[in-house]
Amino acid sequence: MDCPKNSIGNFAIAVLLIEVVYLCLSSQFQTFQWPQPPTKDLEAAPQDDLEAALSKASMPNKTVIITVVNKAYVEGDDTSMLDLFLESFWIGEGTRKMADHLLVVAVDQTAYDRCIFRRLHCYKMVGEDGDMEGEKLYMSEDFIKMMWRRTLLLLHVLERGYNFIFTDTDVSWLRNPFPRLTTNLTADLQISTDEFRSRHRPEDNLINTGFYFIRSNNKTIALFQTWYAMKNNSIGKKEQDVLSDLMRKGIFRQLGLGVRFLHTLYFSGFCQDSKDFRAVTTVHANCCRSIRAKVADLKAVHRDWGRFKAATATNKTVTDVDAATFRWSVHAACVNSWNIPMNTVG
């Protein structure tokens, strides 16, 4: 059947109009941009950079070891804090392979460049405050700011499904800590203490966020979210103090967290020395105010450890009497560090 000529003409005009409308709408959509999300406290660099760094450092079970450094921690008159930290992995028992799973988080360009030069697993953390170069004296405003920035980054790590040991760089690893950490999956958080006081009343223990092992799950993510949310309501407090407050208010019980407090016999520090060289696993230069003092006294720790290792090199069994002859050197530099004024950079 033949179609009328005017119908064909009308159809052609309709098609032409549709194409014109389509081209107009397409050009509008091409120039439209969705509004950008608000800037967060921490721009942890492109998300894929963090994931790439974590995956390279990770053990097969998605567990990593994380430390955070800035320029002051990678530079020194002769030996830096990072130098001593890495040295401990070399001189420790069963710790050399642990360094393969260490992720060094740098908060400034100098620290990142030094990390890359060392051929370590490195990640540069960038925040709205920019680089955090220079020493941050204990409890100074910049020190507190850097601790909160660290907490947020570690929340991001948990959200990605990674378990981790967080270790301050002023912690010497003298033995592989994993045999001393329980493998029981009900232990969500295993955290060091400045002073171990009680197994029966956990709230009495003075926790230290400079060394802990945490598993990634909904409970630990909720803990970090709650913890970080307290930042703006905790002026003048470091993040460790805020977590201690939350602990005393029952946050661990409320979230159903399994928490284990690490005894200073094994995970020791300058606040409370381990009394047994045969058991000590880590030594933390806590209760110390300046980097220079920490470096001086950690050097003494390494010398003490070397004496013990030399004495036991030929005699694998150390008697109680022999063990009692080994004592840590007095942490004199750290004791004196508390006389440094707040505005002094040491």
Side-chain angles (χ1 to χ4, degrees):
M1 183 177 67
D2 294 333
C3 296
K5 291 183 178 179
N6 58 342
S7 297
I8 296 174
N10 291 339
F11 178 78
I13 293 171
V15 170
L16 180 61
L17 288 172
I18 290 171
E19 289 179 350
V20 170
V21 170
Y22 173 80
L23 289 173
C24 291
L25 290 173
S26 296
S27 63
Q28 289 179 355
F29 281 120
Q30 287 171 357
T31 57
F32 178 76
Q33 293 186 357
W34 293 102
Q36 296 299 310
T39 303
K40 296 180 180 179
D41 279 347
L42 173 68
E43 288 294 340
Q47 294 290 322
D48 55 333
D49 286 355
L50 178 57
E51 180 62 38
L54 288 166
S55 62
K56 287 179 182 177
S58 178
M59 301 174 195
N61 62 353
K62 290 196 76 172
T63 299
V64 293
I65 302 164
I66 300 176
T67 195
V68 176
V69 296
N70 69 353
K71 180 180 179 180
Y73 275 75
V74 302
E75 293 186 343
D77 296 335
D78 57 351
T79 304
S80 71
M81 185 72 75
L82 182 62
D83 291 335
L84 278 177
F85 179 64
L86 296 176
E87 180 183 90
S88 74
F89 284 85
W90 179 256
I91 66 175
E93 294 181 359
T95 50
R96 293 185 185 180
K97 283 292 184 182
M98 296 292 97
D100 295 338
H101 304 292
L102 173 66
L103 175 61
V104 177
V105 176
V107 300
D108 59 57
Q109 190 61 42
T110 300
Y112 182 73
D113 291 342
R114 189 65 62 92
C115 178
I116 293 295
F117 179 76
R118 289 273 197 164
R119 299 184 182 278
L120 303 168
H121 298 297
C122 312
Y123 173 74
K124 186 180 179 187
M125 180 172 67
V126 181
E128 289 184 339
D129 304 320
D131 283 356
M132 296 287 286
E133 289 189 350
E135 179 171 0
K136 311 305 174 192
L137 279 180
Y138 182 74
M139 290 308 294
S140 66
E141 182 179 349
D142 281 345
F143 172 86
I144 294 172
K145 189 182 297 183
M146 190 162 71
M147 295 302 100
W148 281 116
R149 185 190 288 189
R150 179 180 86 181
T151 303
L152 183 55
L153 175 76
L154 295 175
L155 168 59
H156 293 331
V157 174
L158 288 175
E159 289 173 337
R160 291 168 178 270
Y162 287 90
N163 317 306
F164 61 83
I165 286 181
F166 177 79
T167 173
D168 277 343
T169 318
D170 61 349
V171 175
S172 286
W173 287 44
L174 302 182
R175 288 187 172 93
N176 179 355
F178 283 101
R180 292 291 182 187
L181 299 170
T182 181
T183 57
N184 192 327
L185 295 180
T186 61
D188 302 298
L189 172 65
Q190 301 179 64
I191 189 167
S192 65
T193 56
D194 281 339
E195 184 179 343
F196 188 87
R197 295 178 176 175
S198 173
R199 295 184 186 278
H200 306 294
R201 287 179 51 82
E203 297 83 0
D204 291 342
N205 293 308
L206 302 179
I207 62 172
N208 189 301
T209 55
F211 185 95
Y212 59 90
F213 177 49
I214 189 166
R215 299 183 186 279
S216 173
N217 56 44
N218 291 337
K219 293 180 290 185
T220 56
I221 291 171
L223 172 66
F224 268 66
Q225 289 172 337
T226 304
W227 184 13
Y228 186 75
M230 300 292 292
K231 177 174 78 81
N232 295 329
N233 297 323
S234 306
I235 305 301
K237 287 186 176 182
K238 62 183 183 296
E239 46 39 274
Q240 180 175 291
D241 298 332
V242 175
L243 184 60
S244 295
D245 291 344
L246 288 172
M247 176 184 72
R248 283 188 283 269
K249 292 176 182 177
I251 187 69
F252 295 158
R253 288 190 297 273
Q254 292 169 20
L255 294 175
L257 280 163
V259 180
R260 180 170 173 246
F261 299 89
L262 302 176
H263 201 298
T264 52
L265 178 67
Y266 309 105
F267 299 90
S268 70
F270 293 174
C271 298
Q272 189 175 60
D273 286 322
S274 171
K275 292 180 172 57
D276 192 343
F277 274 70
R278 298 165 302 176
V280 67
T281 300
T282 59
V283 177
H284 188 182
N286 50 12
C287 289
C288 191
R289 194 147 180 259
S290 72
I291 292 176
R292 182 173 297 168
K294 289 173 183 280
V295 168
D297 285 346
L298 282 174
K299 283 182 177 180
V301 166
H302 288 195
R303 288 194 296 270
D304 294 341
W305 177 250
R307 285 191 302 107
F308 174 76
K309 294 295 292 178
T312 57
T314 55
N315 181 14
K316 299 299 181 183
T317 59
V318 181
T319 66
D320 292 339
V321 175
D322 292 334
T325 64
F326 291 97
R327 291 287 182 269
W328 301 106
S329 300
V330 175
H331 314 305
C334 284
V335 171
N336 294 329
S337 70
W338 295 99
N339 298 322
I340 299 175
M342 283 291 287
N343 59 352
T344 300
V345 177

